[in-house]
Every structure is written in structure tokens, then in C-alpha cells.
Amino acid sequence: MWSSRLAVHQLQKFAAAQLTISTMQRAQSTLPRVYVTRSVPPDGLEILRNSGQVQFEMWDSDDPVPREELLKRVKGIDGLLCVLTEKIDAELLDAAGPNLRVVSTMSVGYDHLSLSELKKRGIRVGYTPDVLTDAVAELTVALLLCTSRRLTEATHEAKTGGWGTWRTLWLCGYELANSTVGIMGLGRIGLAIAERLKPFKVKKFIYTDVAPRPELANQIQAEYVSMDEMAKQSDFLVVCCALTPETQGICNKELFSKMKKTSIFINTSRGGVVNQEDLYDALATGQIAAAGLDVTVPEPLPTSHPLFSLKNCVILPHIASASFTTRNAMSSLATNNLLAGLRGNAMEKELKL
Amino acid sequence: MQSAQQLVKVFVTRRIPQDGMKILRQAGMCNLSVWDSDEPVPRAELLKGVTGAHGLVCLLSDRIDTEVLDAAGPNLKVISTMSVGFDHLAMDEIKKRGIRVGYTPDVLTDATAELTVALLLATARRLPEGVQEVKSGGWSTWKPLWLCGYGLSGSTVGVLGLGRIGLAIARRLMPFGVKRLLYTGRGAKPEAKEVEGEFVPLDTLVSESDFVIVSCSLTPDTQGLCDKAFFSKMKSSAVFINTSRGTVVNQEDLYEALSSGRIAAAGLDVTTPEPLPTNHPLLTLNNCVILPHIGSATYATRGTMAELTANNLLAGLTGVAMPTELKI
């Protein structure tokens, strides 16, 4: 009886919000089971509800699901839709059990996924590259300009009475025109950032990576250099690499000591790439001019952290992909990846393990 | 090398970047008197300082009117202002006395266009709110819909006034995935082709743009142009940016539009007055970003402005063509 009622609902494209999750569970007990670890944006949720392909439970909150709860809820699931705050490791995969065959993350980063454990168990992984490239590149440029043109200091002065009459060198910043921009990690996002910086009359683009990337570098005439050269030559150094054992803590005092006193350091990749104590020292002593970070260790960064005491450090709460269209696109892609994986089909964006 | 009596007297109303001072000193022809401070010269000091001067280097905060010109006397033949605006100069009086004027157009286009894009991005992607949340403990964790803003990708951008600066702004926005670039003004411009600009009526620009950027000069036609009627035609998801002149915008109407959600957000680098009093209602809005007129504020640009100012002055004093002379 529940089945036929549900079939009628589907035929009428009954608004999914009317159905409770438990109703779906009772009616569709043979459908693959999915756990969704956070309240996902509407586009993805709608796809999931209307698919008729799965029964799902969702941690319906803006805040992360507590670990204990997560380990309970994943028992026996076939598919998992998660975000970057969940550690998908051996403990969780054990708790889930052998039915789990697809993990779909609503992120392009996958440092929260234990790839070796997933590969071992033959679990397929979906993620969300490309759909967030524009938003992330845009926010990186926004952060760079906010840092180099001292917008945080400026808005503060305007609010607190520091704004007097026009002065010749007050709140002067460093301009992109005639500068050298260094990209650490020339992938999709690094290239998109460089493309956006070009019309600001950047003189030269240089980059480092594990190996040269001519197919991307040629699009912006970027020169492949060593880390040392990148540190020495860059007026703006933008970190866009993935977090791996090789890049962990790679931005440290050795790097900062080689940079120009007038240089600007920007990181929107992962907090773990930067040694935060060394960055603090470099900023406090004037070894580099300023820094802008969208990612930190930990996240959130405690409000007592020394980096907050610096005028020349701008910190954002990991909002690089935070545009309405992008978050909806990410949720749609993540959901579609999940459903495709559960059907045994090719995913739109599958992570090669 | 001229003797002390033959050096021409020059008064400089502020400490200006060394790039400019160096040029003035090395010319070897000036008896330089400088108000060596970052703050404006008091009126009484200005009147004293200009007495008998042949040349005057000033900024936009110095009102050069009849009183100053009288105090200077008949020696004064050149005024060189370190600005592109000249509304602080009494042009009729200056013309009457045959005084030449140098100013600094063009050299600040890049810095100003850059700042306009910086302001647009900071406003659209909610950077000041983000910074504030981080400092105050409002940041708990990554959340799918927290602090979401409006992206340029796929958007329609409208530029009011596609002059040197407007065009420079449009060029910088192109690689962000802007779908349509609209502009309005007195007439279509051939340069607009470079940015695939579509010349449209003002109303069309206002109603179809996701980002409205005001980049026109202040004239009787543009005074108070951005008012209630203007904002009422905009999209409720639209972002409004002004880096031209404060009085192009009716600030009370803007406040209404922002606080009622009639438009999504606004970013201003210019206000009425400047500075804007700290108790002004616009400063209380989360969706309004206000900067203290820093469009040209980069070390490189201010240095170049200082050099140009010095060179304009010396050219005027020696009776030759200036690099950038204001046609009176």
C-alpha cells in the first residue's frame, strides 16, 4: 500500500518536501541506502529526493554531524554523500560495512578521504572539480586584492574616524601592474587565477609544480621555475597546490626568508601547506609585506591566534567556493556522482584511486 | 648653477613622495620651501608660504582661490597639482592672471581600475563580513550556504561611463566569465569593441545588470543620478559600485535601497562628504562596503604622480611644454 501510494506521488511529481524520510524508508526498503552528512544545498537535495533510486537519511543541519552519530548512521549504507569536514578513514569504513560502494564528496579537495583504504575496499569516489573553479579563482583574486590594496584596514579607518583629509601615502598598497606573479601548483584553479590576473598588466607569470605543465602554462605564458626562484622573484605568491605529504608545511621560514620585503603571500588551497608560526614571524618582522589566507589549521582558527593581531594578515573563513550558483552546482554534481556510482555507471567526475 | 638670488621660489604645500622631491632638488633652479608634513598646511601658513613664489605645488585639499593668488603676488606663473581633479583651483582667476596649470591624468588609471575591481569583489563575495566573523568567533566550520555571495561568472555587468577608467575596469572583469558587458553614456564608443561592450539606454543597463559600476565624471547631468528611481529599477540580487564621485549618488536613497533589500549590496570609494562622518547610517549596514577614497593609493602610482607633478612644474617655470598641462 505504501508502494502504490508512493508511485502515485512520483507520477504526480509530488513536492518532495511533503514526504518524511521515514515514510520513504518504510516504502522503499529494498532501495540502496544513503547517508548524507550535512544539509546540502537545494539543487542536490531535489535530485536526490526525486530520483526514486535511493532511500536516504540526512544530518539536517548547517553544522557537522558529531563523529559518534556518524559512525552509528553509516552502518550498512550503500552510498555516502559527505563534505570536507568528515574524515573518511578505516574506522568509518569499518563502521559502514561491506555494502558501501560509493563515497561522494561535495568538494574538490580529498585530503579528508583515506584513499588507500577506499581503494583496498573497491569503493568508488566522486568529487566536484571544475564546477567550483570559477568561484575559487574569483575569491582568490578578491583576497589578493583585498590584501594588496589594504581593504580591511581601509574599511576600518572609514568606520572609526581614521579617515581625514587626502594624504599622499596614506593606505598605499602594492599594485599588480608590472609585477611578477608566482603560482605554487599550476592546476585548473592556478590557471584560472592567472587568467583573471592577466589584464591587471602583470609583467610575468612563473610557477612551480611537481613537473612542468606546458599545456596549462602556455595559456598564460608562465615560466617553470624552482621553488627558490619563485620565492625570490614573486611580488605576489599564490598557493594553489593540493595538500599531500610532499606539500605539507612547504611554506615555511625557508621560503619566506627568500621572498621580497614587498611581497604578498596568498593561500586558498589547504591550511596544512603553510607553517603558521613561520608565517607569523615573517609578517611580524616585515620579511614579507602581507598575507591573505582562506584556509588555516585548524578551521576555525581560534580567535586568540597570533595571526589575528597582525594588521597585514587577512583571514577569511574558507569561503572560496561560496557563491549560490556554485554551491548548488557542487551539490548537484555530488548527488549525480553518487547516483551514477550506485547504478554502476560512469560518474561525471570520478576520482581515480 | 644659479646663485641664491636667481633661484626661483617654489612653495610645496605637503610632504610629497621622494620621487618628486628628488626631481625638484636636482633641477638646481628652485629655492624650495616645503610644508614638510603628512597633514594639510594650515591656511595662514599657506598664505605666508606662497608670498613671492614663482611656482606652487599643491594637492586637492588646498583651496587655491583669489586670496591665495593675491598673497602669492605677480611672480606666480605655474601651479602644479598632484591630482587629476582640479575643482580646488579657481580656474577663472588663474586664467585671468595667465598662470599655467599642470595636473596628473592617465597615470592613475590602472590603480583606480584595480581598486574598483577589488571593491566589487570584496562587496560581491562578502569579504568584510567574512573577516569580521573570523575575528569575532562567528566561524565555526565549513558550511554549504554560509556567507554565499554573487559570482561574476555568467553575469551581466553594466558600466556607467566607459571612459579611460571604465574601459580599464571592463578589461579586468572580462576573464571572470562575464556573459554580457553593457555600457551607457553620451554615445557608443569604438573602443568598447575590445570588451564586447553593448551600448544601451540607461534604463536597460540598470534593469538588466547584476553588477552596476558607476565610472562617469561628475557633471550637472550625473549629479544625483543614482537615486530612488534608479535603485527601484535594479535587480534585487544586484550589486552597486561607485568609484567616481560621491554626489552622483543620493545617499539617503541608497541607504533605503540597501536596508530594505531593494538591491543586494553596494561598495563605495567616494562619498558625500569626504570623510564620511562615522555616525552615518551607511556605515551600519552589513551589505555596504565603504572605502576612504583610496582609488589611486599605490606606492608606484603616487610616486609617478609626484614625478609628473615635479616635471610639470619645472617645465612651466622654464617656459616649455608640460608633460600634462591642463587646458584652461
Side-chain angles (χ1 to χ4, degrees), chain A residues 258-269:
Chain A
K258 294 176 182 133
M259 287 173 67
K260 299 181 184 182
K261 284 171 113 65
T262 51
S263 62
I264 310 275
F265 176 82
I266 303 295
N267 184 22
T268 55
S269 64

Side-chain angles (χ1 to χ4, degrees), chain A residues 300-325:
Chain A
L301 193 64
T303 54
S304 57
H305 198 281
L307 283 172
F308 287 122
S309 65
L310 300 170
K311 268 201 179 150
N312 56 348
C313 188
V314 180
I315 302 180
L316 294 175
H318 201 157
I319 52 170
S321 65
S323 86
F324 294 109
T325 42

Side-chain angles (χ1 to χ4, degrees), chain A residues 15 34 67 88 114 119 159 165 187 201-202 215 230 238 242 258 264 299 307 309 318 353:
Chain A
V34 162
R67 187 74 175 173
I88 310 304
S114 173
K119 185 168 184 172
K159 285 196 164 154
T165 51
K201 299 191 178 172
V202 170
E215 71 288 357
M230 198 180 63
V238 185
K258 294 176 182 133
I264 310 275
E299 286 178 18
L307 283 172
S309 65
H318 201 157
L353 296 180

Side-chain angles (χ1 to χ4, degrees), chain A residues 25-75:
Chain A
Q25 277 182 315
R26 279 199 295 274
Q28 308 282 355
S29 58
T30 56
L31 288 181
R33 286 181 54 211
V34 162
Y35 187 66
V36 182
T37 66
R38 198 81 72 87
S39 176
V40 293
D43 287 10
L45 194 54
E46 201 179 313
I47 292 172
L48 201 58
R49 281 189 168 134
N50 293 343
S51 72
Q53 192 195 317
V54 296
Q55 49 179 318
F56 71 94
E57 276 187 18
M58 185 168 74
W59 180 253
D60 194 8
S61 167
D62 278 338
D63 293 302
V65 55
R67 187 74 175 173
E68 303 246 308
E69 182 70 20
L70 176 63
L71 293 174
K72 257 192 351 215
R73 295 289 170 180
V74 299
K75 279 195 183 46

Side-chain angles (χ1 to χ4, degrees), chain A residues 240-288:
Chain A
C240 312
C241 55
L243 176 60
T244 66
E246 290 72 40
T247 61
Q248 174 83 36
I250 203 177
C251 299
N252 54 18
K253 60 171 171 260
E254 216 193 297
L255 179 85
F256 300 131
S257 68
K258 294 176 182 133
M259 287 173 67
K260 299 181 184 182
K261 284 171 113 65
T262 51
S263 62
I264 310 275
F265 176 82
I266 303 295
N267 184 22
T268 55
S269 64
R270 282 292 181 267
V273 176
V274 174
N275 180 315
Q276 287 175 177
E277 285 68 47
D278 289 356
L279 176 63
Y280 174 84
D281 287 340
L283 288 167
T285 59
Q287 200 170 46
I288 65 175

Side-chain angles (χ1 to χ4, degrees), chain B residues 56-290:
Chain B
L56 174 64
V57 172
C58 68
L59 292 115
L60 55 80
S61 49
D62 306 307
R63 211 174 69 245
I64 310 301
D65 55 13
T66 305
E67 188 185 24
V68 172
L69 298 171
D70 283 344
N75 284 350
L76 186 61
K77 36 199 261 238
V78 190
I79 296 171
S80 183
T81 181
M82 192 174 139
S83 64
V84 66
F86 45 86
D87 42 281
H88 56 297
L89 307 179
M91 296 310 295
D92 291 341
E93 278 298 317
I94 288 168
K95 183 172 183 171
K96 208 162 70 179
R97 296 157 198 248
I99 299 169
R100 293 172 67 189
V101 176
Y103 72 140
T104 64
D106 294 330
V107 294
L108 46 66
T109 300
D110 287 341
T112 306
E114 179 181 88
L115 189 283
T116 305
V117 175
L119 178 57
L120 183 153
L121 290 171
T123 305
R125 295 300 299 271
R126 304 169 67 181
L127 263 60
E129 279 180 87
V131 166
Q132 189 48 40
E133 290 284 5
V134 169
K135 288 192 169 154
S136 66
W139 181 16
S140 58
T141 180
W142 190 91
K143 295 178 188 168
L145 288 172
W146 188 53
L147 283 178
C148 271
Y150 297 100
L152 280 162
S153 188
S155 71
T156 297
V157 169
V159 179
L160 245 103
L162 203 70
R164 280 178 301 248
I165 295 177
L167 188 59
I169 293 166
R171 279 192 201 106
R172 283 154 177 76
L173 292 179
M174 276 170 75
F176 285 84
V178 172
K179 199 163 74 180
R180 286 174 78 203
L181 194 284
L182 310 176
Y183 72 102
T184 192
R186 277 184 287 249
K189 300 194 168 193
E191 313 85 271
K193 208 150 59 146
E194 186 202 322
V195 293
E196 293 167 45
E198 296 171 45
F199 182 66
V200 298
L202 179 63
D203 274 7
T204 305
L205 185 151
V206 175
S207 59
E208 295 186 13
S209 296
D210 299 296
F211 297 88
V212 175
I213 304 171
V214 181
S215 177
C216 55
S217 46
L218 176 62
T219 68
D221 288 331
T222 60
Q223 172 94 27
L225 175 70
C226 304
D227 59 6
K228 187 166 168 174
F230 185 99
F231 299 125
S232 71
K233 294 182 188 119
M234 283 174 64
K235 296 183 180 183
S236 60
S237 55
V239 173
F240 175 79
I241 302 295
N242 183 23
T243 55
S244 64
R245 281 291 178 266
T247 46
V248 175
V249 173
N250 179 314
Q251 287 177 174
E252 285 66 47
D253 290 352
L254 176 62
Y255 177 83
E256 273 313 304
L258 288 168
S259 57
S260 65
R262 177 80 283 284
I263 66 173
L268 313 173
D269 185 45
V270 288
T271 58
T272 313
E274 287 178 19
L276 194 66
T278 53
N279 61 358
H280 197 283
L282 282 173
L283 288 166
T284 64
L285 298 172
N286 260 349
N287 57 348
C288 189
V289 179
I290 297 184

Side-chain angles (χ1 to χ4, degrees), chain B residues 2 4 15 26 45 51 80 98 140 188 211 219 224 248 266 295 301 319 328:
Chain B
Q2 292 169 287
R15 182 185 296 155
Q26 285 172 359
E45 290 297 325
T51 307
S80 183
S140 58
F211 297 88
T219 68
V248 175
T301 292
I328 309 179

